[in-house]
Amino acid sequence: MGDVEQQDFISDLPHSIIESILTRLPIRDALRTSILSSKWRYRWATISQLVFDENCVAFSNERSLFENSLVKFITGALFLHQGPIHKFQLSTTQLQWCPDIDQWILFLSRNDIRELVLELGEGELFRVPSCLFNCRKLTHLELFHCEFNPPLAFKGFSCLKSLNLHQVLVASEAIESLISSCPLLESLSLSHFDSLDLFICAPNLKYLFLEGEFKDICLENTPLLVSLSVAMDMTDDITEHFEQSSSCNFIQFLGGVPLLEKLVGSIYFTKGLSNTSAAVEADDLDVWEKECPSDCTFKQLKLVKMTDMSGVLHEMELIKFLLKSSPVLEIMSIKPCAFVRHTRQNMLIEMWTDTKLNMLIELLRFRRASAQAEIVFVQD
């Protein structure tokens, strides 16, 4: 009996399954499937998710040659693509000032792009072209190492649910306007910002991550927020601003998050321990009692994680306030800052050891609204 021709089961799979398989492959391998057979020649060209990085082309020590190869590869893939592109991701340190990126974004703005990630690094900031703001169907936008300047006529992204800006040059007013003009926004991440005054109005926001130097933070309208993470760099200028300000909203911002379930806070001081200890003599240690609403209760808060704590009284008062205002709290995790100082090192390390011990003793004395609340003191 002659050989029975084997049936090509994979080629006969439903289009949705084949697209799912191709999407999981690196884009370079997905394009290579075009040589399998005539049926596969343009199968890759209909996938709706395109992820490009520096592995798309062979590496070359000659930067210009490598850049040209990468640009040619991406341009060719977009030119041959058929149908909508729902996700486009570019992760590279090689194309910082490449004018072709502008053309790619213009092309995407006409192809129903929903998720856009530009992860660029090194050199000067990439200026995001104005055509980005014509991507009306965007649901996720993530920018790294860019300059971001919405035009005056921009009315917002009406479908945007997730916004991540990392090391992005943009005015405070532009960020606030962008946030408030995205009515469906659920997740917001802002990191590596300098001296930023931030007022957030986002009625559907659930997840918020902030990292950098903030002169002020005000949660103006965030009633659905369930997870909040704030990592602050306390430079000399920022510290001085807090000391001199009489109307800082940062003290008050916890009062507007009744559904909060997870709170993570980190404060990085650029001053030494001896300087931060000056805060011990500060007035208004009962500021949390005075500034927050009298009925402020975190009825959903189960996890609090605070890192780089130095044990100054204002920090301890915040911890005390959270413990007695959180009736369902399960874990309060406290991690002291890693203190490294070479001047008079032995004496200062001994002082810092005593400080941590006193902090732990004080924590165990605080009253807790939740009988299940466990205080976890984390040490390196």
Side-chain angles (χ1 to χ4, degrees), residues 142-205:
E142 192 163 355
L143 301 177
F144 292 77
H145 206 75
C146 296
E147 183 177 347
F148 187 71
N149 188 22
L152 294 177
F154 178 61
K155 301 300 182 182
F157 296 114
S158 60
C159 300
L160 195 68
K161 293 186 177 182
S162 177
L163 175 63
N164 299 333
L165 302 180
H166 306 270
Q167 201 173 353
V168 173
L169 180 61
V170 58
S172 299
E173 298 80 5
I175 293 182
E176 294 170 4
S177 177
L178 174 62
I179 294 172
S180 62
S181 60
C182 298
L184 301 183
L185 191 64
E186 296 180 355
S187 176
L188 174 63
S189 176
L190 304 176
S191 62
H192 299 285
F193 283 84
D194 298 331
S195 302
L196 190 65
D197 287 292
L198 189 62
F199 287 73
I200 298 177
C201 179
N204 284 300
L205 191 65

